[in-house]
Amino acid sequence: MLATDPGPGQTTSSQATQCGGCKQSVESDSGGIVVSFGQSLWHVDCFKCAKCGNRVNADTNLLLLSDGSPVCGGCSYHCSVCKQPIVDEAIMTGDDSYHALCFTCRQCSRRIEELVFAKTSQGIYCMDCHNERAARSRRHYEKKKRAKAKLEEGQHRDQPNQ
């Protein structure tokens, strides 16, 4: 979508007049054409794919990232679960991306909807399952710690006094 200066009676905030790419003002004395994408305005030359850096136009099939940046169709993210391209809402966790429907707990398989989760080397967990795993891990650690202390105590008794 191409936009020009706001009409009479319309105002823009300073953030709305800041280019989504270079962060400089999109306002100029000569007017000019800018691209309106998501909640941001972009200089035409700054409207680039966030992944490959190639210029894109508003007619291209674009994915909107949470920071407002565009991603072109050729660079679309692929879901870390189903491996299919993501063309609508994407959930990003570090280098991984997910369809909203694929973003599920590794243990109970329920969809994580509130986006409150724990990411471990084993996968993504809802907080209930993560807390349960953490408690189980603490109990296991405490059991090993008690067994080690008991073993050391037994070895200490078996040593003759010097």
Side-chain angles (χ1 to χ4, degrees):
M1 171 186 290
L2 294 179
T4 56
D5 292 331
Q10 294 179 325
T11 58
T12 60
S13 68
S14 61
Q15 186 175 4
T17 59
Q18 184 181 50
C19 175
C22 70
K23 307 299 182 208
Q24 300 297 315
S25 175
V26 294
E27 296 177 355
S28 70
D29 293 337
S30 62
I33 297 175
V34 297
V35 177
S36 175
F37 182 71
Q39 299 295 314
S40 301
L41 296 176
W42 303 72
H43 295 115
V44 173
D45 291 338
C46 296
F47 194 54
K48 298 176 181 177
C49 172
K51 285 184 82 175
C52 69
N54 290 334
R55 275 187 51 195
V56 293
N57 62 48
D59 297 330
T60 308
N61 185 19
L62 300 172
L63 175 66
L64 175 66
L65 296 180
S66 61
D67 69 357
S69 300
V71 174
C72 70
C75 289
S76 68
Y77 288 86
H78 287 76
C79 179
S80 297
V81 175
C82 71
K83 309 301 182 210
Q84 296 298 311
I86 300 173
V87 294
D88 54 6
E89 181 183 3
I91 297 171
M92 310 295 288
T93 63
D95 291 337
D96 296 325
S97 52
Y98 303 86
H99 290 111
L101 293 174
C102 294
F103 196 63
T104 59
C105 175
R106 183 173 192 268
Q107 186 167 329
C108 70
S109 300
R110 286 188 311 234
R111 190 167 161 210
I112 301 172
E113 296 190 36
E114 314 87 44
L115 297 183
V116 177
F117 62 92
K119 183 176 183 180
T120 71
S121 61
Q122 305 297 307
I124 302 285
Y125 293 89
C126 68
M127 291 312 295
D128 288 342
C129 290
H130 173 70
N131 291 338
E132 182 182 307
R133 288 181 74 233
R136 196 168 46 244
S137 178
R138 280 191 297 274
R139 286 191 302 268
H140 179 71
Y141 171 76
E142 290 299 323
K143 185 177 177 182
K144 282 179 69 174
K145 189 175 166 184
R146 285 190 302 271
K148 182 178 177 184
K150 193 173 187 180
L151 180 65
E152 288 174 352
E153 183 180 305
Q155 288 175 347
H156 186 269
R157 269 189 270 169
D158 293 342
Q159 291 179 356
N161 290 340
Q162 294 182 10

